[in-house]
Amino acid sequence: MNTIYILWLRELKRYSRSKSRIIGSLGQPILFLVALGYGLGSVFQRAGEGNYFQFLAPGIIGMSIIFTAIFSGIQMIWDRQFGFLKETLVAPVHRITIMLGRTLGGATVATLQGLLVLVIVLAFGFRPYSWALIPVAILFMLLVALLFAALGAMVASLLDDMQGFQLIMNFLVMPLFFLSGALFPLQGLPSALDVVVRFDPLSYGIDAFRILLANVGAFGLGMDFAVLASVAAIFLVLSSWFFSKIQI
Amino acid sequence: MDNIIHVRNLTKTFGDIAAVKDISFDVKKGEIFAFLGPNGAGKSTTIKMLTTVLRPTSGDILLAGHDAAKDPDDVRRAFGIVFQDPSTDDDLTAYENMDLHGILYGLSSALRKERIRTLLEFVELWDRKDSLVKEFSGGMKRRLEIARGLLHHPSVIFLDEPTLGLDPQTRNHMWSYLEDLNKKEGITVFFTTHYMEEAERIAQRIAIIDHGTIVASGTAAELKANTGKDSLEDAFLELTGHAIREEEVSGTDRMRARSRMWHGGRR
Ligand SMILES: Nc1ncnc2c1ncn2[C@@H]1O[C@H](COP(=O)(O)OP(=O)(O)O)[C@@H](O)[C@H]1O
Ligand SMILES: [Mg+2]
């Protein structure tokens, strides 16, 4: 228990100490909000889909969560390269607790980042459907963060150099983001894209955010929860398994 | 049981590179024991297997009476380690690095407080306890790692090339501390080096390792007597057929050598 706590705390300390990382990672969501939210807003409206900014905001929250969560998992590659990982691997504790502490920490950090973006979209004029549902939305944010932090950690357990990092960004994170419903509505998609979207776990996270924050959605909250929770559980088990096999 | 480390027929191959080939040796409780060998001899690979982070291809390791393959956690509690490459968290302070270690090893909060202070004072880092480790020099990081490796009072401390890149004062200071600890607390010290004089001056017993095999072991005096030479250099040359430094130097080592030059250290 203490092991999980101290490794969770380590992630939070590292996050709070890298002010430039926090500020830098807010630039991208703001850019998307401004360029897409305002740029495509009128087209969206003319197509009869309503206010695009209201629609986009939950997607951008999802974007910041998936990026931060996967990145925090991937940071294990750095820890391996720069040595700290060894310190935890020689400790007389179960590797699963090491993995859980790191992943919960990464998920917490990603959720905080999502909350920051929520505050930003509120400042830009986003109006949530119901303030009372915000706490529920935060729980879903945590679940999405956990899922992708575990995914990042799993990938990091399998890679041992930084070259892999760019590959992951291009072939994992970007598709996961662009092929979720973050930027477009899920109704009336071409059937091939519809299938792909349904295989992207982020779609269910964004759908849940949108239901809770903007009262529009495609899959229903129950379905979203079921998919997110089971995929998160699978990734946690897999990442723990691969992590337990790491050798130096 | 007076052998704290017991190794039989230990082998590690990476693909078709045999890094460690069928080595067997024992280290007595309370001994200062050195692996002396050139770069690429298999020293780090052996230490990684002894410290449970690398699985042997074959062979047996017993440490403090526990089997490394079967009871890794018991083995882990018994040793402390300073790896060849730094393993501190640069984004945490010195104190936080120590505290994290104490928690991983299940020390109570009171015990951590007391021991961290004693150890950090000893390695002369107490006044820098709240500085981030990334602000530390190589020597300070090494001292912190030694303090950290001793925090849970292990019965063996492994040090993989602990003095590489350290200036002579830090090196002497470090060894006098460890020798003192060895005398007073009976802690077993297992270190690797490719410095002849360090092995000869510090270690009570030396194993000469070359191309993954132990070619000879004994006290420095025995190694010299058995080869009929009067310096360890000559004994080494006789046993391995080459001088210790003529091997190709690894990339990390070359970088270290360069950084030593920049920092005006002498070697
Ligand atoms: N992970 C690895 N994969 C492949 N070869 C390795 C690996 N680790 C070490 N080696 C090789 O094993 C040999 C012994 O290396 P090492 O134990 O690091 O030597 P030393 O510590 O004595 O300098 C070297 O030839 C090295 O290149
Ligand atoms: Mg080495």
Side-chain angles (χ1 to χ4, degrees), chain B residues 44-162:
Chain B
S44 295
T45 304
T46 306
I47 287 219
K48 285 173 190 170
M49 290 190 283
L50 293 177
T51 55
T52 73
V53 288
L54 188 64
R55 252 188 306 281
T57 305
S58 62
D60 297 312
I61 298 168
L62 280 184
L63 203 141
H66 305 289
D67 187 318
K70 294 199 194 90
D71 310 304
D73 282 349
D74 289 326
V75 169
R76 287 170 185 156
R77 260 183 286 274
F79 70 78
I81 173 143
V82 179
F83 286 102
Q84 184 169 346
D85 300 312
S87 67
T88 45
D89 184 341
D90 283 5
D91 292 323
L92 297 182
T93 65
Y95 195 93
E96 287 168 339
N97 267 285
M98 295 289 283
D99 205 41
L100 197 156
H101 183 92
I103 290 173
L104 289 179
Y105 285 77
L107 305 185
S108 74
S109 145
L111 202 56
R112 291 201 302 275
K113 252 197 202 119
E114 176 204 316
R115 285 194 193 165
I116 291 173
R117 175 161 195 156
T118 314
L119 282 162
L120 284 184
E121 277 175 349
F122 207 94
V123 297
E124 293 172 7
L125 288 174
W126 181 247
D127 54 331
R128 297 295 305 275
K129 67 182 192 311
D130 295 322
S131 303
L132 294 179
V133 172
K134 67 172 139 214
E135 295 158 14
F136 283 11
S137 69
M140 290 163 79
K141 278 189 194 173
R142 197 62 60 89
R143 269 146 53 202
L144 176 62
E145 293 206 60
I146 292 172
R148 189 181 66 178
L150 295 168
L151 185 61
H152 55 288
H153 284 190
S155 29
V156 189
I157 180 122
F158 290 101
L159 305 133
D160 195 2
E161 311 235 13

